[in-house]
Amino acid sequence: MSGISQRIGSLSSGEKRVLLAQLLRKQASEAKSVYPLSYNQQGIWFLYQLAPENAVYNVNFAARISSAVNVGALRRSLQALVDRHPSLRTTFPARVGKPVQQVHQRHEIHFVEVKGSTWSEDELKARLIAEAYRPFDLERGPILRVTLV
């Protein structure tokens, strides 16, 4: 008998009922969060399967902020945006050979702070371009990245 089987076997009948109820709720929650892909999503997923290192589907944005930034507040506000919009918490795994969109209950924002104060203007541009063309992992996510330089 495996370790988990022994642990489950040692539970009282009441504890087993509670565990079963928790597992069924989790399974139902996961089932509600998986949907078929739209036509456009299927196209992007197909391109991703052909060339996962390609960033053709990326949408990027760079902005220069010329004042002090409260990094914690910025991170929290972006996390609130991700929490509010299911499309920003979605990944695209394959289930039984077919792609699906899976909406996660919670997905931590990918937020990276990089010190670039010593970079030249050309180096900054090169790094921004490299970041813009870095591919996403559609199957595991995240599908939104924020880099603060």
Side-chain angles (χ1 to χ4, degrees):
M1 205 181 250
S2 71
I4 192 133
S5 297
Q6 288 174 335
R7 284 189 287 184
I8 291 173
S10 68
L11 296 175
S12 70
S13 60
E15 291 171 325
K16 287 179 185 176
R17 277 193 293 278
V18 169
L19 177 61
L20 179 60
Q22 289 174 340
L23 291 172
L24 289 173
R25 274 194 302 274
K26 182 179 177 188
Q27 184 179 24
S29 172
E30 288 174 358
K32 290 180 190 174
S33 67
V34 175
Y35 305 96
L37 270 60
S38 71
Y39 183 73
N40 289 334
Q41 288 170 328
Q42 288 176 25
I44 291 172
W45 189 85
F46 179 74
L47 291 174
Y48 175 75
Q49 294 302 307
L50 288 176
E53 72 288 343
N54 196 329
V56 70
Y57 48 80
N58 286 12
V59 176
N60 58 69
F61 173 75
R64 184 178 299 250
I65 302 170
S66 24
S67 65
V69 175
N70 181 331
V71 178
L74 178 62
R75 179 189 292 261
R76 287 188 303 277
S77 65
L78 292 168
Q79 183 64 56
L81 191 67
V82 170
D83 292 343
R84 185 175 191 157
H85 297 283
S87 62
L88 299 175
R89 300 188 313 272
T90 301
T91 56
F92 302 89
R95 299 267 169 94
V96 193
K98 291 191 171 216
V100 295
Q101 56 178 315
Q102 181 174 5
V103 180
H104 301 271
Q105 290 287 2
R106 174 97 168 124
H107 215 277
E108 195 68 31
I109 182 85
H110 183 275
F111 187 97
V112 176
E113 189 177 356
V114 178
K115 295 214 180 252
S117 58
T118 61
W119 298 348
S120 68
E121 191 71 25
D122 289 338
E123 187 174 5
L124 175 62
K125 285 180 184 177
R127 293 199 184 212
L128 288 174
I129 290 169
E131 182 65 24
Y133 286 99
R134 189 164 56 105
F136 286 90
D137 182 345
L138 296 182
E139 294 181 34
R140 287 187 282 285
I143 61 170
L144 170 68
R145 288 188 303 252
V146 176
T147 303
L148 179 65
V149 179

